[in-house]
């Protein structure tokens, strides 16, 4: 892992800071995942240098959160978020600390972090600083708060969601102080922007131990604070047969379990994007077609956007159907056309066959019929054969 080009660049970046007289450390998730031997997505750096000093050391520096001390450094074709050591005081709005103060020591910076396993730092030589025994908690597989859990969750209630998502992702247990604090303060999640809760909840349902994560949501009263779940005791008890990877799958899954709340309401109350909305509908429609025909039809495959194949396979698994993703890929590969544009016979050809007929909805429905027949391989995608098929056997209905 140390040989990974991303880590190589990070160590080189730390050395650059060191050579200019500043301290720099890899912090947070990257250290945790490195120690665990898990793959590392991105590397965050904490430094004693102030943002303008970081900008003097490196050539490509983009200010992305100067007021919080964060800049983005492009270095050796990689991006690093570099944040000045800081502490935070007061969270009267439960969102942003009232005051951010830059400090001089990494230890002070680590004290503001949520869990012991996220409060370790590594210097340019690879030495680990671990004032809260995060390494021991990694070994014991525990989610333990830095300091008093009750205090830390009332400062920032999002940490409660984070505790449960790390428990699911890492297959760890939450410490009893953490679970007690969540039980008593879950209601404070109401102060947190739903988009931020959604990010953590999606990571929880996609985690290795999603079952435990969801059971904790139920047992600790977190569901009572989540849109839609709060009003559906039924949904609070459901455990999918597989993890749900992404919000679109999540919506399609839960909508299938309880269709008293529609997809529009899911998207709206969880403040999801239009893309999530489109994908949820596509997945739901494909599921509907699957359930009607009891198989993966060509028509299903034709209508399902290719990038959603893994999500659809995921949805089927979560619902307990024994369909392999390979099957979906195979059916997609067999499709005679990919879209209506690929049809060998178009609207103009149809009009040419009945030039005296007034233009109207018959054209659209005629093309749809051809499309359906071609996709299902009842009709080859060839001009002459389609022409004959329409002309002799399937003239468009008159309207
Ligand atoms: P992931 O691998 O999912 O990105 P992560 O631990 O890196 O996990 P981030 O949300 O990227 O999580 O945050 C980076 C680090 O910032 C955390 O490891 C933690 O030290 C700190 N942190 C993030 N959110 C909070 C919070 N709400 N309260 C305190 N510290 C936090
Ligand atoms: Mg991270």
């Amino acid at each position: 892992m140390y040989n990974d080009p991303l880590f190589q660049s990070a160590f080189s970046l730390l050395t650059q800071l060191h050579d200019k007289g500043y301290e720099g450390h890899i912090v947070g998730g990257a250290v945790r995942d490195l120690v665990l031997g898990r793959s590392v997505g991105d590397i965050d750096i904490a430094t004693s240098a102030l943002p303008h000093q970081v900008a003097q050391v490196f050539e490509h520096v983009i200010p992305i959160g100067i007021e919080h001390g964060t800049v983005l450094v492009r270095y050796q074709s990689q991006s690093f978020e570099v944040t000045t050591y800081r502490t935070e005081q007061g969270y009267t709005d439960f969102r942003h600390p009232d005051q951010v103060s830059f400090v001089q020591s990494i230890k002070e910076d680590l004290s503001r972090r949520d869990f012991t396993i996220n409060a370790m730092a590594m210097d340019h030589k690879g030495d680990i600083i671990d004032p809260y025994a995060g390494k021991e908690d990694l070994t014991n597989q525990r989610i333990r708060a830095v300091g008093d859990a009750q205090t830390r969750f009332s400062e920032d209630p999002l940490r409660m969601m984070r505790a449960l998502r790390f428990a699911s992702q890492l297959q760890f247990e939450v410490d009893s102080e953490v679970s007690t604090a969540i039980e008593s303060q879950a209601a404070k999640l109401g102060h947190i922007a739903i988009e931020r809760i959604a990010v953590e909840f999606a990571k929880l349902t996609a985690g290795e131990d999603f079952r435990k994560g969801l059971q904790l949501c139920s047992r600790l009263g977190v569901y009572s604070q989540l849109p839609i779940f709060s009003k559906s005791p039924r949904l609070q008890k459901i455990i999918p047969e597989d993890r749900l990877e992404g919000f679109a799958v999540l919506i399609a899954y839960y909508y299938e379990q309880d269709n008293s709340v529609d997809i529009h309401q899911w998207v709206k109350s969880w403040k999801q994007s239009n893309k999530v909305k489109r994908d949820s509908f596509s997945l739901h429609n494909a599921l509907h077609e699957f359930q009607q025909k009891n198989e993966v039809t060509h028509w299903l495959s034709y209508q399902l956007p290719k990038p959603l194949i893994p999500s659809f396979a995921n949805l089927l698994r979560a619902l307990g159907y024994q369909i392999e993703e390979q099957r979906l890929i195979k059916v997609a590969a067999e499709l005679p056309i990919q879209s209506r544009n690929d049809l060998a016979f178009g609207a103009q050809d149809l009009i040419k066959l009945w030039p005296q007929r007034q233009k109207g909805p018959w054209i659209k429905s005629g093309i749809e019929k051809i499309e359906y027949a071609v996709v299902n391989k009842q009709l080859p995608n060839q001009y002459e054969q389609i022409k004959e098929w329409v002309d002799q056997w399937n003239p468009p209905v008159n309207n």
Side-chain angles (χ1 to χ4, degrees):
M1 196 84 85
Y2 286 90
N3 302 327
D4 175 291
L6 184 63
F7 269 97
Q8 293 283 322
S9 297
F11 282 119
S12 165
L13 185 153
L14 296 181
T15 306
Q16 294 272 327
L17 283 169
H18 183 77
D19 290 349
K20 295 282 176 349
Y22 303 112
E23 276 181 30
H25 289 88
I26 299 173
V27 284
V31 182
R32 176 197 70 220
D33 291 339
L34 183 70
V35 174
L36 283 175
R38 288 169 63 94
S39 68
V40 172
D42 43 34
I43 295 185
D44 295 326
I45 308 275
T47 178
S48 60
L50 294 166
H52 76 271
Q53 295 170 321
V54 176
Q56 285 162 1
V57 178
F58 301 99
E59 215 168 305
H60 302 287
V61 175
I62 305 154
I64 53 171
I66 287 280
E67 66 283 15
H68 298 115
T70 304
V71 296
L72 190 77
V73 175
R74 285 286 300 165
Y75 184 72
Q76 298 182 346
S77 309
Q78 317 266 15
S79 294
F80 299 92
E81 270 189 30
V82 179
T83 304
T84 307
Y85 295 159
R86 59 167 215 235
T87 56
E88 297 165 351
Q89 286 100 28
Y91 284 80
T92 36
D93 66 354
F94 292 109
R95 282 185 191 94
H96 310 288
D98 298 336
Q99 207 190 337
V100 170
S101 329
F102 296 137
V103 294
Q104 273 306 301
S105 88
I106 181 67
K107 286 213 174 117
E108 276 184 88
D109 181 275
L110 294 177
S111 71
R112 74 175 161 90
R113 295 176 184 270
D114 47 6
F115 303 108
T116 59
I117 58 170
N118 291 342
M120 297 184 284
M122 187 183 272
D123 68 14
H124 66 287
K125 291 180 294 197
D127 291 336
I128 290 186
I129 297 169
D130 180 18
Y132 301 99
K135 229 172 166 177
E136 195 182 313
D137 286 328
L138 282 180
T139 306
N140 297 333
Q141 312 199 317
R142 297 227 140 255
I143 310 292
R144 212 158 52 82
V146 169
D148 174 52
Q150 297 280 6
T151 313
R152 302 311 308 283
F153 294 167
S154 77
E155 280 170 7
D156 179 1
L158 185 68
R159 290 171 185 156
M160 295 187 271
M161 286 307 292
R162 288 174 58 84
L164 301 189
R165 81 103 148 153
F166 285 120
S168 168
Q169 270 187 331
L170 305 173
Q171 302 177 269
F172 280 18
E173 299 299 323
V174 286
D175 181 68
S176 65
E177 278 187 31
V178 166
S179 54
T180 306
I182 295 177
E183 222 170 347
S184 66
Q185 299 195 56
K188 290 192 180 140
L189 282 169
H191 298 290
I192 300 292
I194 191 62
E195 300 91 313
R196 300 180 66 209
I197 293 181
V199 169
E200 300 299 334
F201 187 62
K203 287 183 178 176
L204 183 159
T205 64
E208 207 71 50
D209 204 351
F210 63 96
R211 292 186 183 84
K212 179 172 58 202
L214 294 176
Q215 278 155 3
L216 286 169
C217 285
S218 170
R219 183 160 74 75
L220 303 178
V222 167
Y223 270 143
S224 322
Q225 305 306 317
L226 304 183
I228 303 173
F229 289 97
S230 62
K231 299 206 177 67
S232 174
R234 208 177 105 64
L235 289 189
Q236 297 190 13
K237 288 197 205 78
I238 283 172
I239 306 280
E241 305 269 324
D242 195 6
R243 45 187 169 158
L244 306 172
E245 296 174 66
F247 227 91
V249 178
L250 190 156
I251 292 177
Y253 173 81
Y254 283 109
Y255 176 57
E256 177 62 16
Q257 298 295 350
D258 176 359
N259 41 40
S260 67
V261 179
D262 68 21
I263 291 177
H264 287 285
Q265 285 167 283
W266 269 95
V267 170
K268 196 160 175 232
S269 59
W270 281 85
K271 294 211 180 141
Q272 294 298 296
S273 65
N274 283 329
K275 166 147 175 53
V276 167
K277 190 199 282 188
R278 271 197 310 277
D279 290 355
S280 309
F281 274 108
S282 297
L283 292 170
H284 168 70
N285 292 338
L287 179 63
H288 191 71
E289 168 80 7
F290 175 77
Q291 288 168 330
Q292 293 225 312
K293 305 282 160 58
N294 227 335
E295 61 171 328
V296 181
T297 62
H298 287 100
W299 187 245
L300 180 163
S301 174
Y302 178 69
Q303 298 221 296
L304 182 71
K306 293 276 162 316
L308 287 183
I309 288 179
S311 298
F312 187 58
N314 180 196
L315 175 63
L316 291 177
R317 283 195 308 274
L319 290 164
Y321 292 108
Q322 313 286 327
I323 302 282
E324 300 284 328
E325 185 170 328
Q326 272 313 315
R327 171 92 194 115
L328 298 173
I329 294 170
K330 183 163 175 287
V331 176
E334 289 165 2
L335 289 176
I337 58 170
Q338 300 302 320
S339 79
R340 194 170 288 179
N341 289 336
D342 299 341
L343 275 182
F345 198 89
Q348 288 312 317
D349 301 313
L350 205 56
I351 293 163
K352 255 191 262 161
L353 277 182
W354 287 278
Q356 70 287 19
R357 228 196 239 190
Q358 204 182 350
K359 287 187 187 133
W362 64 273
I363 300 170
K364 183 161 177 279
S365 63
I367 292 292
E368 278 168 0
K369 234 165 120 180
I370 295 170
E371 185 185 25
Y372 191 77
V374 168
V375 168
N376 284 329
K377 301 192 174 182
Q378 292 151 359
L379 177 63
N381 187 28
Q382 285 166 1
Y383 178 83
E384 283 303 331
Q385 300 206 38
I386 297 175
K387 185 176 166 203
E388 189 185 305
W389 184 86
V390 191
D391 199 11
Q392 299 194 7
W393 308 104
N394 295 280
V397 281
N398 223 346
N399 57 15

